Amino acid sequence: MASSKSASGAMTLERMSVEQLKAVKEQADMEVNLLQDSLTNIGTATTRLELATTALNDLSLRSHGSKILVPLTASLYVPATLQDPHHVLVDIGTGYFVEKTMPEGKDYCERKINLLKSNFDQLVEVASKKKNVADDAGVILQAKLKQLASSS
Amino acid sequence: MSSSNIRDLQRELENKANDLSKLQKDIAKNHQVRKKYTIQLGENELVLKELDLLKEDANVYKLIGPVLVKQDLAEANANVRKRIEYISAELKRLDSTVQDLEEKQNSKKETILKLQQKMQTLQAGKGKA
């Protein structure tokens, strides 16, 4: 099914003029780049959430009153004691923060990671399809240009 | 006679080409704004989904400048809903302007094409004469 579809797509590409092909290729290339960028963004977001999950796991192992160092800036830390290891404040976006219990916080990270992963998989599929279109257009464009060069 | 005609046509063509590039710039700008709003809409929808999952007695804070201010869950919910409504309306408005601009662009392209053809026939006629 997929192969027949791409074959018919190639057929319509065959019938295009060189200018049209160029336009199609350019468009497809642009979209592929855009999708690649989105993929890297999702990747970084996922790693950040995974980091948050490990931090939460780490935090949940500590008990009330344990000593910690709190970062005030990137290089300045002050000593403190942990008051409440069972509640966390979660940034849910657009300036809103929600107080959650430890398991809820972990659950939040888990859910976000799963959401990102499913988005990632979907995007990978779309990106590979677009890449095929771009490659097809490139191949046919090359062939047409060669034909033109030999015929003139 | 015909040479001044051609000159007029050329001037008109230039004007139209300028108009077209202006239109294209507007369209590009519109697309950028649209993209920004789409991203915001997505983020707000995620926030709303998160707020809907919360229990009634959950503590919600809003970041205002450097301060976290405690807010009612219902109030936060209403705020986000209102924002989503606003952004959706804005997106719809942008869509219609883009459509409008694209129609204008297409008609401009057509007039330019016609002008070019006219010039070509005029020049060909002059060449023969």
Side-chain angles (χ1 to χ4, degrees):
Chain A
M1 182 63 203
S3 67
S4 77
K5 225 181 196 172
S6 76
S8 76
M11 282 300 284
T12 45
L13 282 176
E14 297 265 19
R15 271 189 234 118
M16 284 184 186
S17 68
V18 174
E19 280 78 23
Q20 275 175 316
L21 267 174
K22 262 187 197 156
V24 167
K25 169 111 174 84
E26 225 164 78
Q27 178 82 19
D29 276 343
M30 222 169 63
E31 279 171 37
V32 167
N33 279 338
L34 213 73
L35 288 169
Q36 281 304 346
D37 280 353
S38 307
L39 281 176
T40 27
N41 279 342
I42 291 183
T44 41
T46 314
T47 25
R48 258 173 45 201
L49 276 167
E50 271 159 2
L51 264 173
T53 316
T54 41
L56 278 182
N57 275 328
D58 204 41
L59 193 64
S60 63
L61 294 177
R62 322 257 156 199
S63 56
H64 170 86
S66 47
K67 298 263 180 245
I68 50 169
L69 284 170
V70 181
L72 288 188
T73 69
S75 52
L76 177 63
Y77 291 73
V78 292
T81 50
L82 190 59
Q83 273 297 323
D84 181 5
H86 307 298
H87 288 91
V88 285
L89 203 56
V90 183
D91 180 0
I92 58 170
T94 65
Y96 281 108
F97 288 72
V98 176
E99 208 176 279
K100 284 178 183 290
T101 60
M102 184 53 84
E104 276 172 358
K106 282 182 191 167
D107 181 55
Y108 173 84
C109 288
E110 199 95 345
R111 264 190 296 124
K112 286 283 129 127
I113 289 173
N114 284 336
L115 176 72
L116 285 177
K117 280 201 173 133
S118 77
N119 279 356
F120 190 87
D121 292 342
Q122 277 172 21
L123 263 189
V124 164
E125 226 170 275
V126 176
S128 74
K129 265 186 203 151
K130 271 283 157 208
K131 196 155 178 2
N132 280 340
V133 171
D135 289 348
D136 283 350
V139 168
I140 294 170
L141 182 61
Q142 288 294 333
K144 288 230 166 170
L145 285 177
K146 217 178 262 176
Q147 225 175 45
L148 274 179
S150 66
S151 68
S152 63
Chain B
M1 179 62 201
S2 70
S3 73
S4 73
N5 248 344
I6 287 180
R7 216 169 292 145
D8 280 350
L9 277 176
Q10 220 152 23
R11 205 168 299 139
E12 211 179 325
L13 192 62
E14 245 167 65
N15 282 341
K16 292 274 186 273
N18 278 342
D19 287 350
L20 182 64
S21 75
K22 221 179 271 168
L23 275 175
Q24 277 167 339
K25 229 180 258 169
D26 278 352
I27 289 176
K29 218 197 294 174
N30 243 306
H31 271 302
Q32 232 159 18
V33 175
R34 222 191 92 85
K35 204 169 133 192
K36 212 176 75 193
Y37 274 125
T38 321
I39 292 171
Q40 279 185 3
L41 183 66
E43 193 178 355
N44 273 297
E45 266 165 4
L46 277 181
V47 173
L48 185 65
K49 224 190 270 169
E50 207 52 48
L51 287 176
D52 277 341
L53 283 172
L54 291 174
K55 287 190 215 99
E56 296 232 350
D57 59 345
N59 289 327
V60 181
Y61 302 86
K62 172 103 185 80
L63 187 70
I64 301 172
V67 201
L68 275 179
V69 181
K70 196 165 173 191
Q71 219 177 22
D72 253 11
L73 179 57
E75 200 182 323
N77 219 318
N79 264 340
V80 176
R81 260 177 227 284
K82 211 182 280 169
R83 238 184 319 188
I84 287 176
E85 226 169 81
Y86 170 76
I87 295 174
S88 305
E90 199 68 359
L91 273 178
K92 227 178 250 172
R93 194 181 64 80
L94 280 174
D95 271 346
S96 66
T97 25
V98 162
Q99 216 173 9
D100 206 38
L101 282 172
E102 265 165 6
E103 265 165 34
K104 269 189 200 157
Q105 177 186 259
N106 285 339
S107 73
K108 270 273 166 349
K109 271 185 184 161
E110 246 167 65
T111 44
I112 284 177
L113 211 71
K114 267 183 201 151
L115 272 173
Q116 277 171 334
Q117 278 167 352
K118 215 165 158 191
M119 266 179 75
Q120 263 167 7
T121 49
L122 262 179
Q123 256 159 351
K126 207 177 124 197
K128 261 180 216 156

